[in-house]
């Protein structure tokens, strides 16, 4: 299947080749970053927890790179505790609410993670993160500790409470992702690489986080329900099922699809803020760092919309597609064109039979118009469809073979 994906999407094969040639192996990267000791181990953990995210962090301007690496690892540690279903509720809440103090405790580590926690080793060796965190400039430390405190408090709240209303849903997403947007934006401004206004317009920063988090929550419904939890707001799913298990059941598929499309529509509402925020970022490495997750998210929500497989499995965009997005997310113009094309994909999938047809049509139409008015040359037209590329490839191949055979006969 993977081979067939490459054959059917040859431009993604080129993107994969470009990525491999451009990105060094993990050990070589840390040499190029000129880090050693505990900070080298931190970058090792970054590679272990998220290879794709590690790549964009390691390409950040040196003024930000270490700080954002450590910010990511601290929040990853916090998230690992929140996700661990084996930690008793009271102990989990205590850890979450005190994590902003823990990051100042020399030698602290946690060895009680459940057997299935893939990032447990990070917490076992967390003292290396603490050691390097305390070397950061004081203002960076203050921002990271503040976000950690607020996020931990919010996570602790939702170990007791369920996501019932849409207000709960937006609040939960703010705690676990919107605050990340706040912290990153403040770090961008504090570094001097971005204008102070980036760290002050936190409503847009919040939307950046909410679009990513809502996309992930929408996509992960099957995995979450199987694990005994659900982050879809009850205000949506209870209209279509009497339990989370029924929501993803094949016997309730028509209603499950209505809930899925309603979740997608809610996520799409954040796109205008995302486009506006990205337009305010000027430093090239910061722009790519911000843009790549967002283009991945629009590709993912386009894949999820009106797709029954989401209820049965954890769907993901193709690796080649992801690499192509990484290669293309270089500037505001390119990113707008990516969003425009995926909005067209959603438009094509938005059947009049969908319960969210009108809502999604309005969001897509307005967003496409807003993007088109700011694009140089107007809305994008894709003259290089994948299948045309395939035809050109095979015509060229056959011409080469014919020429070779002809030359051989002569």
């Amino acid at each position: 299947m993977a081979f067939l994906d490459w054959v059917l999407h040859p431009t993604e094969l080129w993107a994969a080749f470009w990525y491999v040639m451009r990105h060094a192996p993990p050990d070589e990267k840390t040499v190029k970053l000129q880090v050693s000791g505990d900070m080298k181990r931190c970058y090792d953990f970054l590679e272990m927890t998220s290879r794709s995210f590690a790549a964009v962090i390691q390409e950040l301007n040196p003024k930000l790179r270490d700080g954002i690496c450590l910010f990511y690892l601290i929040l990853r540690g916090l998230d690992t505790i929140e996700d661990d279903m084996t930690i008793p509720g009271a102990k989990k809440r205590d850890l979450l609410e005190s994590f902003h103090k823990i990051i100042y405790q020399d030698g602290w580590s946690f060895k009680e993670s459940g057997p299935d926690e893939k990032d447990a080793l990070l917490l076992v060796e967390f003292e290396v993160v603490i050691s390097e965190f305390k070397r950061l400039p004081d203002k960076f430390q203050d921002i990271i500790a503040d976000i950690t405190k607020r996020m931990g408090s919010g996570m602790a709240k939702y170990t007791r409470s369920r996501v019932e209303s849409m207000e709960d849903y937006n609040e939960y997403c703010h705690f676990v992702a919107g605050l990340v947007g706040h912290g990153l934006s403040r770090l961008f401004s504090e570094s001097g690489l971005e204008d102070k206004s980036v760290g002050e317009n936190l409503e847009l920063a919040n939307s950046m986080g909410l679009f990513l988090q809502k996309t992930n929550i929408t996509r992960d419904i099957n995995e979450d329900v199987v694990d005994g939890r659900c982050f879809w707001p009850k205000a949506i799913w209870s209209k279509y099922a009497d339990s989370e298990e029924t929501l993803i059941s094949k016997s309730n598929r028509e209603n499950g699809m209505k809930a899925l499309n309603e979740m997608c529509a809610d996520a799409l509402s954040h796109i205008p803020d995302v486009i506006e925020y990205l337009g305010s970022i000027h430093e090239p490495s910061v722009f790519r760092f911000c843009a790549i997750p967002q283009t991945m998210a629009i590709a993912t929500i386009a894949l999820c919309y009106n797709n029954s497989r989401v209820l049965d499995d954890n769907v993901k965009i193709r690796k080649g597609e992801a690499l192509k997005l990484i290669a293309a997310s270089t500037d505001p113009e390119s990113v707008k064109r990516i969003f425009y094309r995926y909005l067209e994909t959603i438009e094509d999938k938005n059947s009049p039979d969908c319960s969210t047809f009108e809502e999604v049509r309005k969001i897509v139409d307005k967003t496409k118009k807003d993007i088109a008015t700011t694009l140089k040359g107007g809305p994008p037209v894709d003259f290089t469809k994948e299948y045309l590329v395939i035809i050109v490839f095979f015509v060229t191949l056959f011409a080469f073979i014919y020429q070779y055979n002809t030359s051989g006969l002569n």
Side-chain angles (χ1 to χ4, degrees):
M1 180 63 79
F3 175 75
L4 184 60
D5 281 343
W6 293 121
V7 171
L8 293 177
H9 304 91
T11 56
E12 294 175 10
L13 182 59
W14 169 250
F17 174 76
W18 172 90
Y19 184 86
V20 169
M21 294 301 293
R22 191 168 182 269
H23 291 80
D27 289 344
E28 187 179 330
K29 284 180 184 177
T30 53
V31 171
K32 288 183 177 180
L33 293 173
Q34 296 182 330
V35 294
S36 59
D38 285 348
M39 197 63 221
K40 181 181 184 302
R41 187 58 175 157
C42 288
Y43 279 108
D44 290 341
F45 277 122
L46 187 63
E47 289 280 350
M48 292 179 208
T49 54
S50 176
R51 291 292 298 274
S52 58
F53 207 53
V56 288
I57 289 179
Q58 289 166 354
E59 291 179 359
L60 277 168
N61 187 295
K63 290 183 179 180
L64 276 170
R65 189 168 53 217
D66 289 354
I68 288 183
C69 171
L70 294 164
F71 185 35
Y72 176 84
L73 291 176
I74 286 169
L75 298 188
R76 190 70 168 198
L78 189 68
D79 187 60
T80 300
I81 291 170
E82 186 212 17
D83 282 347
D84 193 336
M85 305 298 282
T86 69
I87 302 175
K91 184 170 187 175
K92 179 183 286 190
R93 283 189 288 274
D94 181 60
L95 285 167
L96 294 173
E97 290 174 337
S98 62
F99 210 74
H100 66 288
K101 298 177 182 177
I102 286 171
I103 59 178
Y104 287 99
Q105 294 178 16
D106 293 333
W108 184 89
S109 68
F110 185 77
K111 301 180 177 68
E112 301 169 46
S113 299
D116 298 326
E117 288 303 317
K118 62 184 179 64
D119 295 327
L121 185 61
L122 170 64
L123 291 174
V124 171
E125 298 186 36
F126 205 73
E127 68 270 14
V128 301
V129 177
I130 293 171
S131 171
E132 291 301 324
F133 165 72
K134 292 173 69 175
R135 295 175 185 270
L136 290 175
D138 288 346
K139 289 186 178 180
F140 272 33
Q141 290 186 40
D142 292 344
I143 291 168
I144 293 171
D146 176 55
I147 297 300
T148 304
K149 179 180 180 179
R150 292 159 65 191
M151 184 180 292
S153 176
M155 287 177 168
K157 173 181 177 178
Y158 280 94
T159 63
R160 294 187 181 96
S161 307
R162 292 173 65 85
V163 179
E164 300 275 347
S165 66
M166 293 304 295
E167 289 76 16
D168 291 340
Y169 184 46
N170 285 319
E171 181 183 61
Y172 174 76
C173 290
H174 166 71
F175 284 139
V176 300
L179 284 173
V180 180
H182 283 202
L184 289 172
S185 298
R186 289 164 62 187
L187 289 171
F188 297 158
S189 294
E190 184 59 41
S191 72
L193 295 174
E194 297 295 344
D195 191 78
K196 285 185 178 180
S197 61
V198 171
E200 294 169 351
N201 195 344
L202 298 181
E203 186 175 342
L204 293 181
N206 189 61
S207 281
M208 291 280 285
L210 262 61
F211 182 52
L212 299 180
Q213 186 66 22
K214 288 183 175 184
T215 296
N216 290 338
I217 286 174
T218 299
R219 180 198 61 195
D220 293 344
I221 182 60
N222 179 276
E223 180 182 328
D224 285 339
V225 171
V226 169
D227 286 345
R229 57 191 175 188
C230 179
F231 298 104
W232 284 23
K234 190 174 182 180
I236 288 180
W237 69 255
S238 64
K239 293 188 286 186
Y240 306 107
D242 56 11
S243 69
E244 292 98 328
E245 291 75 19
T246 305
L247 176 66
I248 64 172
S249 170
K250 290 185 185 298
S251 63
N252 189 49
R253 189 47 41 95
E254 183 177 346
N255 283 329
M257 290 296 293
K258 290 178 181 177
L260 169 63
N261 289 339
E262 198 168 328
M263 290 292 294
C264 291
D266 179 68
L268 289 171
S269 67
H270 295 287
I271 291 178
D273 280 355
V274 169
I275 299 294
E276 184 176 349
Y277 180 93
L278 291 175
S280 70
I281 302 297
H282 300 293
E283 203 280 334
S285 70
V286 174
F287 181 85
R288 283 177 53 78
F289 173 79
C290 294
I292 289 171
Q294 301 296 331
T295 55
M296 298 279 197
I298 184 62
T300 300
I301 209 70
L303 175 63
C304 290
Y305 186 68
N306 211 23
N307 182 355
S308 62
R309 286 199 304 121
V310 175
L311 302 174
D312 297 324
D313 199 5
N314 187 251
V315 302
K316 293 183 178 180
I317 61 174
R318 298 180 304 277
K319 285 186 178 180
E321 184 176 7
L323 295 175
K324 190 174 176 181
L325 290 170
I326 290 171
S329 301
T330 54
D331 58 81
E333 188 84 0
S334 299
V335 168
K336 287 177 186 177
R337 291 180 182 278
I338 290 169
F339 269 82
Y340 192 97
R341 291 196 174 109
Y342 280 109
L343 288 169
E344 287 187 314
T345 298
I346 294 169
E347 190 174 45
D348 291 340
K349 296 171 72 175
N350 191 29
S351 163
D353 297 335
C354 296
S355 58
T356 51
F357 175 74
E358 281 299 327
E359 181 183 1
V360 169
R361 184 183 64 80
K362 288 178 182 177
I363 293 171
V364 170
D365 282 354
K366 184 179 186 309
T367 309
K368 282 176 60 184
K369 285 179 183 176
D370 290 345
I371 292 174
T373 56
T374 63
L375 283 174
K376 297 172 183 176
V381 178
D382 189 0
F383 291 111
T384 58
K385 297 291 187 183
E386 299 278 7
Y387 292 107
L388 289 178
V389 175
I390 294 172
I391 292 169
V392 170
F393 172 80
F394 281 110
V395 167
T396 305
L397 178 63
F398 289 138
F400 175 83
I401 293 171
Y402 176 81
Q403 182 66 32
Y404 178 84
N405 289 335
T406 304
S407 300
L409 289 174
N410 292 335

